[in-house]
């Protein structure tokens, strides 16, 4: 089928942003090292490794795509948001206007071009990466685990890691609060194994849209369609039929069962917070089928790297924007910065009335992952950390302008938490300026330093024409 | 008219005090007697000007004027 948006159409759309390093790169560490290097350089190309070198030294026929969503600007563009700074309000609208999926037959689903079932399955042939030094093996990191709620039949899809342990066995790690974990526990409580399918590789609009922060039980497919701008095409999985549907244009699908009450070792493994998470216990998946496109591309997310954080944080922005909107209409932009992982949010309000800055803070701090929220006025660029620091250093008296809340739910893998903690503490900071109280009068604060617009234009013109290659960067 | 009498004619607005957690301004603003543009002044200068011991000079048009001649003043109550 032509005209459908998928991973290939994405690569064609952004060809100029794709880096194809020459030569072979090992799936163990070398590909992830490229992502670390690009992060450090502050440059975010999509990286396509055409010669992934497998642990046995051979070259995989399946290329590896990584860093797909490391660029915030490119990711926004690919989901139809022209200005990434407006991701919050735009995604809020998108989430509010879902487009239901459509079902296609297996022979119209490229992801079922090749079908391997039973003993023909071999996970170890996939060019999955061993990313970091303490990882115990090669992991799937962009596998969207799809299960369903046995009570309602409503499915759920989420990115969850899997350690390849053999040709037909891999770990399946999911935090207890996740919707997939809820589904799995329900099957187990019914005395049944949990059916599951993992899909890998699609257009970023689908990958990002599928990370919507949904209620339970609530399918992600319609949100993915809203991001795609058209109904997402789904096909019945080979093992589970229409109980578990998978995207027809995905690159690879792995199907199987999570055996009841069986848990094994998993990890250590890299986490979004930038540290290596500890070894733990996790269920595992017995694989029954692997399907893929004829010339499949394997997609990997760099754990704890910008690539992994950007799309999730943009989805958080959409969710948080709606939460603030419910208490004040003055919210204009929101930023969940990569530097704060998923713990910090910057809110920009336009002329908030008395108390509204704190209303906004109280609203977003209820969101599980957040630990700190800062509100600023619309003269502060919330996408510039220097501006945020300036606002904090010049507009805040800590006792007056901050408040702490304790005993709230939070991310239990926060590395600052003491062992055994079940709740976290959070802080809200009002870094707005006092509002003008009289019509026509300025804000009763110091005005920021400025030069006339004409002088600014002239200076920018002069700088753009200067040879600055030898100028110090610090 | 004496300087002391002129003080009473100034168009002074005081910011509210409010709850101690509310942000209520940090600096006084004066609207120039000549051009009407606004500029900000230190609290000490405001006190001195109000008492007739100092005057303001507009940074926009350089006009010098007394407290009572300001078109408007927005003053932060001292804490």
């Amino acid at each position: 089928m032509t005209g459908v948006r998928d991973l290939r159409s994405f690569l064609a759309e952004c060809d100029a942003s794709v880096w194809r390093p020459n030569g072979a790169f090992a799936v163990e560490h070398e590909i992830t090292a490229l992502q670390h290097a690009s992060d450090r350089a502050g440059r975010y190309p999509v990286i396509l490794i055409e010669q992934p070198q497998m642990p046995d030294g051979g070259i995989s026929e399946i290329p590896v795509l990584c860093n797909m969503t490391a660029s915030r600007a490119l990711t926004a563009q690919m989901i139809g948001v022209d200005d990434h700074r407006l991701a919050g309000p735009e995604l809020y609208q998108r989430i509010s206007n879902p487009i239901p999926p459509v079902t296609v037959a297996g022979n119209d689903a490229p992801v079922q071009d090749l079908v391997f079932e039973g003993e023909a399955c071999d996970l170890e042939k996939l060019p999955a990466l061993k990313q970091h030094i303490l990882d115990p093996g090669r992991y799937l990191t962009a596998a969207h685990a799809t299960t369903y709620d046995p009570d309602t039949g409503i499915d759920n899809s989420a990115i969850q890691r899997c350690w390849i342990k053999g040709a037909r066995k891999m770990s399946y790690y999911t935090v207890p609060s996740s919707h997939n974990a809820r589904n799995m526990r329900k099957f187990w409580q019914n005395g049944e194994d949990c059916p599951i399918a993992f899909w890998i590789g699609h257009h970023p609009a689908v990958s990002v849209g599928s990370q919507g922060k949904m209620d339970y039980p609530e399918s992600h497919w319609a949100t993915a369609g809203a991001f795609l701008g058209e109904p997402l095409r789904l096909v019945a999985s080979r093992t589970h039929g229409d109980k578990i549907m998978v995207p027809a244009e995905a690159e690879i699908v792995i199907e199987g069962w999570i055996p009841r009450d069986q848990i094994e070792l998993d990890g250590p493994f890299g986490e979004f917070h930038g540290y290596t998470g500890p070894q733990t216990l996790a269920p595992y998946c017995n694989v029954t089928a692997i399907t893929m496109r004829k010339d499949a591309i394997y997609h990997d997310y760099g754990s704890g790297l910008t690539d992994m954080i950007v799309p999730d944080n943009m989805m958080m922005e959409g969710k948080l924007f709606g939460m603030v909107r419910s208490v004040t209409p003055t919210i204009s932009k929101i930023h969940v910065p990569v530097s704060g992982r998923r713990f910090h949010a910057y809110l920009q309000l336009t002329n908030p009335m008395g108390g509204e800055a704190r209303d906004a803070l109280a609203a977003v701090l209820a969101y599980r992952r957040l630990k700190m929220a800062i509100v600023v006025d619309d003269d502060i660029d919330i996408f510039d950390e220097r501006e945020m620091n300036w606002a904090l250093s010049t507009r805040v008296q800590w006792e007056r302008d901050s408040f702490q809340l304790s005993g709230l739910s939070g991310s239990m893998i926060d590395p600052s938490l003491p062992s055994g903690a079940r709740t976290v503490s959070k802080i809200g900071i009002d870094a707005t300026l006092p509002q003008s109280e009289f019509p026509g009068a300025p804000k009763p604060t110091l005005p920021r330093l400025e030069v006339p617009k004409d002088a600014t234009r002239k200076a920018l013109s002069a700088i753009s024409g200067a040879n600055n290659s030898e100028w110090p960067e610090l | 008219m004496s300087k002391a009498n002129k003080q009473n004619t100034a168009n002074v607005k005081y910011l509210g005090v409010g709850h101690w957690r509310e942000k209520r301004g940090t600096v006084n603003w004066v609207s120039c007697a000549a051009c009407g543009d606004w500029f900000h002044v230190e609290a000490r200068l405001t006190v001195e000007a109000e008492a007739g011991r100092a005057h303001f000079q507009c940074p926009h048009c350089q006009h010098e004027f007394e407290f009572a001649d300001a078109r408007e003043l927005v003053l932060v109550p001292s804490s």
Side-chain angles (χ1 to χ4, degrees):
Chain A
M1 179 167 174
T2 58
V4 176
R5 299 178 81 197
D6 57 13
L7 196 56
R8 291 103 198 290
S9 72
F10 160 71
L11 289 170
E13 282 175 78
C14 69
D15 186 57
S17 301
V18 180
W19 178 34
R20 297 172 169 85
N22 290 327
F25 284 84
V27 296
E28 294 190 340
H29 305 312
E30 288 187 357
I31 294 174
T32 303
L34 290 171
Q35 288 190 272
H36 274 276
S38 71
D39 264 18
R40 272 197 296 275
R43 302 302 298 269
Y44 303 103
V46 175
I47 301 175
L48 185 62
I49 305 298
E50 291 169 331
Q51 296 180 57
Q53 187 170 36
M54 300 295 279
D56 65 4
I59 300 297
S60 171
E61 292 179 353
I62 302 175
V64 174
L65 176 82
C66 60
N67 241 30
M68 179 177 82
T69 48
S71 163
R72 184 178 165 95
L74 181 63
T75 302
Q77 190 186 331
M78 289 299 135
I79 59 177
V81 177
D82 292 337
D83 181 351
H84 73 89
R85 291 170 294 192
L86 296 175
E90 293 267 350
L91 299 195
Y92 168 66
Q93 287 300 325
R94 215 67 68 81
I95 294 164
S96 308
N97 294 282
I99 299 177
V102 294
T103 300
V104 302
N107 59 9
D108 190 25
V111 74
Q112 293 183 352
D113 282 349
L114 301 179
V115 177
F116 304 93
E117 292 177 305
E119 293 194 356
C121 299
D122 191 351
L123 292 169
E124 294 185 296
K125 286 186 177 171
L126 296 175
L129 307 190
K130 183 175 181 179
Q131 295 187 341
H132 294 106
I133 287 174
L134 289 174
D135 295 358
R138 296 192 295 131
Y139 271 79
L140 310 181
T141 56
H144 296 70
T146 306
T147 65
Y148 65 92
D149 170 19
D151 297 334
T152 62
I154 296 172
D155 58 40
N156 180 69
S157 217
I159 298 170
Q160 282 151 345
R161 73 188 193 219
C162 302
W163 170 18
I164 294 176
K165 292 186 163 183
R168 291 182 299 283
K169 182 179 179 182
M170 59 187 189
S171 75
Y172 167 57
Y173 179 80
T174 174
V175 295
S177 58
S178 79
H179 295 174
N180 275 341
R182 287 174 198 264
N183 290 342
M184 184 179 67
R185 283 195 298 270
K186 284 187 180 181
F187 276 100
W188 286 6
Q189 284 160 5
N190 293 339
E192 300 172 36
D193 296 344
C194 176
I196 193 164
F198 302 83
W199 55 274
I200 299 171
H202 210 303
H203 192 283
V206 178
S207 300
V208 177
S210 299
Q211 294 181 57
K213 311 306 169 197
M214 317 299 287
D215 294 338
Y216 178 85
E218 189 176 8
S219 175
H220 291 250
W221 302 135
T223 305
F227 279 61
L228 200 57
E230 60 195 29
L232 179 64
R233 288 165 26 96
L234 299 176
V235 63
S237 59
R238 300 278 299 193
T239 305
H240 309 298
D242 59 8
K243 292 279 191 185
I244 296 185
M245 307 293 288
V246 291
E249 270 71 33
E251 295 292 322
I252 300 166
V253 167
I254 300 164
E255 302 170 4
W257 299 87
I258 310 294
R260 180 168 63 101
D261 296 336
Q262 299 294 305
I263 52 173
E264 293 186 345
L265 291 177
D266 177 67
F269 196 70
E271 291 288 0
F272 72 87
H273 48 55
Y275 298 86
T276 302
Q279 191 167 75
T280 185
L281 293 166
Y284 60 86
C285 174
N286 287 324
V287 173
T288 53
I290 298 176
T291 74
M292 64 178 74
R293 299 173 77 130
K294 282 177 187 148
D295 48 357
I297 300 169
Y298 176 78
H299 178 213
D300 171 85
Y301 277 118
S303 295
L305 295 170
T306 308
D307 171 39
M308 174 199 188
I309 296 169
V310 161
D312 201 57
N313 286 16
M314 289 174 80
M315 290 305 288
M316 277 179 67
E317 288 166 18
K319 177 76 174 180
L320 296 174
F321 188 89
M323 294 172 77
V324 178
R325 269 286 297 253
S326 68
V327 296
T328 170
T330 62
I331 177 80
S332 46
K333 293 192 186 85
I334 189 161
H335 184 204
V336 179
V338 169
S339 60
R341 301 293 157 162
R342 296 169 181 164
F343 296 129
H344 296 173
Y346 305 155
L347 318 180
Q348 186 192 70
L349 304 188
T350 301
N351 297 322
M353 293 171 58
E356 285 189 323
R358 283 169 176 262
D359 291 345
L361 292 169
V364 295
L365 286 175
Y367 191 70
R368 180 183 298 269
R369 289 172 172 174
L370 277 192
K371 290 170 66 180
M372 179 176 80
I374 304 170
V375 179
V376 295
D377 294 300
D378 60 8
D379 69 317
I380 296 294
D381 180 357
I382 59 173
F383 296 90
D384 184 338
E385 303 276 5
R386 296 169 302 179
E387 290 250 322
M388 288 302 298
N389 245 333
W390 181 61
L392 286 175
S393 62
T394 61
R395 302 181 180 188
V396 175
Q397 285 295 305
W398 293 109
E399 187 176 13
R400 180 191 64 190
D401 299 327
S402 68
F403 60 89
Q404 294 184 42
L405 299 169
S406 296
L408 278 69
S409 70
S411 170
M412 291 300 103
I413 61 171
D414 174 352
S416 70
L417 280 177
S419 179
R422 293 190 299 172
T423 60
V424 304
S425 63
K426 305 189 175 194
I427 188 167
I429 301 168
D430 175 3
T432 61
L433 290 171
Q435 297 299 307
S436 175
E437 296 186 20
F438 305 106
K443 285 188 178 184
T445 57
L446 300 180
R448 61 190 299 168
L449 293 169
E450 287 183 306
V451 292
K453 288 186 170 59
D454 285 350
T456 300
R457 274 194 291 272
K458 186 173 180 179
L460 291 174
S461 172
I463 283 179
S464 69
N467 176 8
N468 62 6
S469 60
E470 299 298 320
W471 292 3
E473 292 185 357
L474 276 178
Chain B
M1 189 164 59
S2 72
K3 288 180 178 176
N5 287 337
K6 285 179 75 176
Q7 289 171 20
N8 298 329
T9 65
N11 185 7
V12 180
K13 295 183 170 74
Y14 287 99
L15 296 169
V17 178
H19 188 276
W20 72 274
R21 281 194 181 277
E22 295 173 7
K23 298 188 178 199
R24 286 300 178 110
T26 55
V27 69
N28 298 329
W29 282 78
V30 179
S31 173
C32 173
C35 71
D37 277 355
W38 290 87
F39 59 98
H40 55 302
V41 297
E42 194 182 34
R44 188 166 61 96
L45 172 57
T46 314
V47 170
E48 292 297 305
E50 188 170 16
R53 295 190 292 268
H55 63 272
F56 303 125
Q57 181 176 18
C58 175
H60 305 288
C61 69
Q62 314 306 320
H63 178 64
E64 296 185 15
F65 59 97
E66 295 178 2
F67 183 97
D69 294 324
R71 290 196 192 180
E72 257 182 297
L73 297 102
V74 174
L75 304 184
V76 181
S78 54
S79 54

